[in-house]
Structure formats: structure tokens, C-alpha cells
Amino acid sequence: MKDPVTTITGITYDRESIERWLFTGGNTTCPVTKQPLPKDSDLTPNHTLRRLIQAWCTENASHGVDRIPTPKPCLDKAYVLKLIKNLSHHKLQIKTLTQMELLAAESERNKKCMVQAGLPKAMLVFIVSCFKNGQVSGIEEALSILCLIKIPGGESREFLCENDKIIESLTWVLGCKMENSATVKSHAVSVLRILLEDASSGVLERLKPEFFERIVGVLREKITQQVFELIELELGSPERRTTELNLGVLSHLCCCAEGRAQFLSHGGGIAVVAMRILRVSPAVDDPAILILSSICKFSGTSMVIKEMVDVKAVSKLCVLLQADCAPYLKDKAKEILRSHFDEWKNFPCNFSSLSCLLEYKVSS
């Protein structure tokens, strides 16, 4: 133990462990006694045990045991309120927000204290103020803090009733250009989701078309980023399990037009998917065939059809017809080959050795 604390049940735990049990794990009982242990119950520092641990560490220093430092004092509500007050001073804003972010990331205990001090509301008020003043500095930190401490369930409706500019301000953030734009917008969407989950019908009815346009724009950016990252990761020949996960996600992204467009805009998309068929595992063959099926069915331009021949995707589909794999995959491969057979048969040099088999399978 580094920071021993005693619960209301009389059992002593290391603070970090019991706080993780209560706040992150969502548990409500004492791990030892199984008695109720509310999340808001006090954790009393066990100073006697801590001094004994520190004394033992000192005695055994010659054996390489490091002395455990005295824990920092608990963050208290008064200090958080002081930090909130500092936000009204423009010169102190960034320094204060950075300090708040570090404290929120430090422990579950700090997050709990910050919520009790009203920090979620203060962060939303700060973002509204930035919106009114056209100020982008500090927004990244404020949104990060909100994502770390979380807006308590049930309070979001109250916040929206008290300040009708919150949704408008977060919508404005989605359209701002700033450093780390992708992270900022992702955090803004997360905060909007929490706020709107418990919003009244009146709030939802007042959402403007601009709100939906901005949300769609962020989703498109995410799809673009995800598709390119996944393809680049696959080009690096990752381990089997990673490939299974990558192609599984890509197959879902290729179910929408935006995802297919981004997939095809990457020069190595079709090639890397074709390469993985029959070379990794059955768990890869399934999404790989689904990707090629979606591409051929909804985005089968003459350029795409030619690319599938050039990167040996058509040849791989022909080989799959002979392989020992699931019948439904062979059926899906036949369906793909039938869909553009008239175009592909004009490229005999690319798979001449399989042309007879292709003719037979496609016509059967």
C-alpha cells in the first residue's frame, strides 16, 4: 500500500485500488465484508499504517526498497472553487484550465471533488463565454476536463434549462478551426451526446439544421481518419488478431457511401484486402469478401473494376472458389464475379490460367 485508507466497514485498502473499485468499477459493496459501501462514503487516511509502511521501507532501503512518499493532501472543494474563480481573470485562464485538467486526470477522488464543487457547470459556462467572445483558447482544455470528470446524470437537463446557449456554443466549436481540431471536435460530440441524452423534447425541437450539418461533418472526418489509419496499419503487416479487427471495422465502414469513397481514395485499399484473403484466417476472409462485395455493388466504376484486376483481387476470388472455405463465401465470391464478368473477361492476361474455371463457376 502507498496510501492506506479505512472504509466505513473498518477494512483498510490502498486508496487508488478502493477508489478504482468504487468509482470506475461501479461497485457498491466492501470487497471483504460485502457490506454496502456508498460511493460518497468517507475514506479515512490510516496514518498509523502508513508510518509503519514508511518505516519498513526505510529499514530495508539497503535491499533496494524505495521509501513511499507521504501522500499529497486530498483535493478539497474550497480549492476547486478558487480555481473556478480564477477563470474570470483572462490572464489566468489557460494556466488554471491546465491545472484543472491535470488534477482531473490524477485520480477518481479528484474527479469526485470537482463534480461536487460544480466544475461541470463552470466548464460549460466558460465554453459559452468563449462562444460569445469568439475565443478559441482554452476550449480544448475545457472539453477535455468535461470528458474526464463526466457530467452527472440528471444534471444535464438542468444545465440546458439554465443556459440556452450551451448547445449553440458546442455547435460553434464543431465548426471552429484550431489546433488538435479532431480531438476537440470528438470531445465536443461526446459532451453533446451526454447533454442530449436527458434533454427535454423542447430542447430537441429547437435544434437547428446547422447542428446536424456539423455533426455529419465530424462523422465524415472520423470515417476518413479511421479508414486511412486502418489501411496504413494493414500495410505494415500486423499480427493476425489485429488484421481480423482491422478488416472487421473496415467492412462496417464500407457499408456507407462515405466510407467506400475514403477506402477507394487510398491507393492501397483494394490491394491489401485482396492480399489478406486465404492468407490469415477465416475470420479475415469474411469481412474481406464483404468489403469487395460492397465496393463492386455500389462503387464499381470502370476504374475500380480495372484496379481489382491489376491488384489480383479478381484472381484471388477465383482461387477462393477452389479453396476449402465456407460455402457462403464461395457464393459471395461468385456473386461478385458475375456482377462484372463482362468487363473482367476482357483482361484474360491477368488470370488466363483460371479463365476456364471462372467461366464454369460463373455460369453454373
Side-chain angles (χ1 to χ4, degrees):
M1 293 186 185
K2 295 181 179 179
D3 185 7
V5 293
T6 304
T7 65
I8 58 174
T9 60
I11 305 298
T12 296
Y13 301 96
D14 185 63
R15 182 185 290 277
E16 183 181 352
S17 300
I18 192 63
E19 286 184 347
R20 189 186 308 116
W21 169 268
L22 290 171
F23 304 133
T24 306
N27 300 290
T28 58
T29 59
C30 173
V32 173
T33 67
K34 306 304 180 186
Q35 293 176 7
L37 197 61
K39 290 184 179 181
D40 57 354
S41 61
D42 290 328
L43 299 173
T44 306
N46 191 327
H47 297 296
T48 301
L49 179 57
R50 176 174 53 78
R51 282 194 288 268
L52 286 170
I53 293 172
Q54 289 178 331
W56 182 88
C57 291
T58 301
E59 290 173 6
N60 289 273
S62 60
H63 300 293
V65 177
D66 294 326
R67 186 179 185 277
I68 295 172
T70 301
K72 296 178 182 178
C74 293
L75 181 67
D76 58 28
K77 186 176 179 180
Y79 186 69
V80 178
L81 291 173
K82 179 184 176 182
L83 290 175
I84 292 174
K85 187 176 180 180
N86 286 345
L87 289 175
S88 60
H89 302 285
H90 185 73
K91 292 182 179 179
L92 298 176
Q93 283 178 352
I94 299 301
K95 181 180 178 181
T96 301
L97 287 166
T98 302
Q99 190 174 1
M100 287 177 171
E101 189 177 8
L102 290 171
L103 287 169
E106 192 174 273
S107 69
E108 296 297 330
R109 175 186 60 195
N110 287 357
K111 292 175 187 177
K112 175 186 173 184
C113 180
M114 291 171 141
V115 169
Q116 291 175 340
L119 191 60
K121 181 179 178 180
M123 289 298 94
L124 290 171
V125 169
F126 173 77
I127 292 170
V128 171
S129 174
C130 289
F131 163 63
K132 291 179 178 178
N133 297 325
Q135 170 189 332
V136 297
S137 61
I139 288 178
E140 180 179 354
E141 291 81 0
L143 287 170
S144 176
I145 291 167
L146 281 172
C147 288
L148 282 168
I149 64 177
K150 308 296 182 188
I151 298 173
E155 290 189 20
S156 56
R157 180 180 289 231
E158 181 182 335
F159 293 158
L160 293 175
C161 290
E162 291 178 358
N163 196 324
D164 60 359
K165 292 293 183 181
I166 291 176
I167 301 297
E168 189 176 353
S169 301
L170 290 168
T171 304
W172 169 75
V173 170
L174 294 178
C176 286
K177 292 182 179 179
M178 60 185 84
E179 289 186 26
N180 301 319
S181 180
T183 301
V184 173
K185 291 179 182 180
S186 179
H187 285 165
V189 169
S190 295
V191 173
L192 279 166
R193 179 181 58 78
I194 294 170
L195 289 170
L196 295 175
E197 275 180 353
D198 197 42
S200 65
S201 57
V203 171
L204 298 176
E205 288 170 0
R206 290 196 298 272
L207 293 176
K208 299 177 180 179
E210 181 186 24
F211 168 82
F212 298 101
E213 290 170 4
R214 295 276 169 85
I215 291 291
V216 170
V218 172
L219 291 175
R220 283 177 175 167
E221 287 179 14
K222 280 192 170 185
I223 288 175
T224 301
Q225 184 179 11
Q226 278 187 304
V227 170
F228 271 67
E229 286 179 353
L230 290 169
I231 293 174
E232 288 296 324
L233 184 56
E234 271 309 301
L235 288 171
S237 300
E239 62 179 21
R240 178 183 63 81
R241 182 57 182 154
T242 302
T243 292
E244 290 173 353
L245 293 171
N246 287 348
L247 265 68
V249 175
L250 277 174
S251 68
H252 286 292
L253 291 173
C254 285
C255 287
C256 68
E258 190 69 29
R260 289 191 297 274
Q262 295 305 324
F263 177 83
L264 291 172
S265 67
H266 192 294
I270 295 177
V272 77
V273 167
M275 267 186 351
R276 296 293 180 263
I277 296 174
L278 298 176
R279 293 184 61 180
V280 182
S281 72
V284 168
D285 296 339
D286 195 333
I289 295 298
L290 287 176
I291 291 170
L292 295 181
S293 176
S294 295
I295 295 299
C296 287
K297 185 174 182 179
F298 301 106
S299 308
T301 63
S302 57
M303 187 178 296
V304 169
I305 297 307
K306 183 179 184 303
E307 183 180 352
M308 287 186 68
V309 174
D310 292 340
V311 300
K312 305 294 191 290
V314 177
S315 297
K316 186 59 74 75
L317 290 171
C318 293
V319 172
L320 187 139
L321 295 178
Q322 304 176 85
D324 181 19
C325 61
Y328 77 91
L329 285 179
K330 293 187 177 185
D331 290 339
K332 182 61 72 174
K334 289 178 187 177
E335 183 183 317
I336 297 171
L337 292 169
R338 285 194 191 100
S339 65
H340 297 286
F341 180 66
D342 288 340
E343 293 96 327
W344 283 326
K345 70 182 180 182
N346 296 322
F347 298 91
C349 59
N350 289 282
F351 53 100
S352 56
S353 60
L354 295 169
S355 59
C356 294
L357 174 63
L358 180 59
E359 292 275 8
Y360 171 74
K361 290 291 184 181
V362 170
S363 60
S364 62

